Amino acid sequence: AHVGVDFLLEFEPVRRAAEIQTYRRLLPFVQTAEQLPNRDALRTQIRELFTSTDRATLDQVCGALRGFHVADVKAGIVDLIHGGELALANPRELTGFSIIERRQGNEHA
């Protein structure tokens, strides 16, 4: 069936519990981003911001994109994290000071 299978040892989910919890907290933002009428414009603006910087805090990105609602910006950031273009520097925590990074090799064409 050509199904990819990854085997996890028992301790892996326990060791990564905080990281898994963070990604579960992000899921509603991804779902919201899919419904945003301004999704494409927002993604474009976030991408442009990360062409001039490799890293920024969540609050800095929201501040730089004042033309959009803060909740929309957060959903847009998480949408790009979900798509692999951005990443959380420390996925074990999620605050306004969390650092968002541009993922190398995943620049939007």
Side-chain angles (χ1 to χ4, degrees), residues 10-75:
E10 289 180 39
F11 69 89
E12 278 295 312
V14 173
R15 185 178 64 82
R16 296 181 59 197
E19 182 178 343
I20 292 167
Q21 182 61 27
T22 296
Y23 287 117
R24 288 182 70 194
R25 288 178 55 200
L26 295 178
L27 182 58
F29 288 96
V30 174
Q31 294 168 330
T32 298
E34 291 177 358
Q35 305 298 318
L36 291 175
N38 59 353
R39 181 183 183 199
D40 291 334
L42 184 56
R43 288 166 58 103
T44 299
Q45 291 293 315
I46 295 169
R47 285 178 181 129
E48 285 180 14
L49 178 67
F50 278 94
T51 59
S52 61
T53 185
D54 288 335
R55 304 176 88 188
T57 67
L58 186 61
D59 286 346
Q60 287 172 330
V61 177
C62 290
L65 300 175
R66 294 182 204 271
F68 294 96
H69 192 281
V70 172
D72 291 355
V73 174
K74 288 179 181 179

